[in-house]
Amino acid sequence: GLTGNHSVFNASQSSTHVPLPGKVALSVGTLGVVTGGLCRDDVSIGSLTLPNYTFVEVDNTGGLQRYESAAWDGILGLGVARSNGTVGVPTPMEALVQGGLLDKPIF
């Protein structure tokens, strides 16, 4: 789907999307804060798929500076767990290694 000039995730187009209870606020570096709900879905990065992966489905970017004019649509954390500690789930890179899809968290 589209929100303004941005392509966004549309949960209704996924047959594997499962919303989870609760709301989460995440700090996006120095840009501000976004909020949303946790969910699970199959997430593919290239040819690698993380089945039933838990992530934050952002539904409020109001606290994010300059999002409307940004050239990017969203954020996928590829860092280490401490950057994703608010959510308490492994980052996609960590999940790929834990699932045996990558030997090392190197991209």
Side-chain angles (χ1 to χ4, degrees):
L2 286 175
T3 300
N5 295 325
H6 297 284
S7 295
V8 296
F9 174 70
N10 184 342
S12 68
Q13 293 181 350
S14 172
S15 63
T16 55
H17 179 266
V18 178
L20 300 173
K23 285 284 207 180
V24 176
L26 291 174
S27 176
V28 183
T30 60
L31 295 176
V33 176
V34 296
T35 59
L38 289 173
C39 67
R40 285 195 189 111
D41 205 343
D42 294 348
V43 174
S44 295
I45 302 171
S47 62
L48 306 176
T49 298
L50 293 168
N52 208 30
Y53 181 70
T54 300
F55 61 95
V56 177
E57 183 179 345
V58 172
D59 58 16
N60 185 344
T61 59
L64 200 56
Q65 298 175 27
R66 300 181 297 277
Y67 176 68
E68 289 302 318
S69 63
W72 41 269
D73 295 321
I75 297 171
L76 175 64
L78 294 175
V80 295
R82 64 183 169 85
S83 65
N84 206 23
T86 306
V87 181
V89 298
T91 65
M93 287 296 286
E94 291 171 324
L96 288 168
V97 172
Q98 290 170 2
L101 297 168
L102 286 179
D103 291 332
K104 297 179 182 178
I106 299 173
F107 55 95

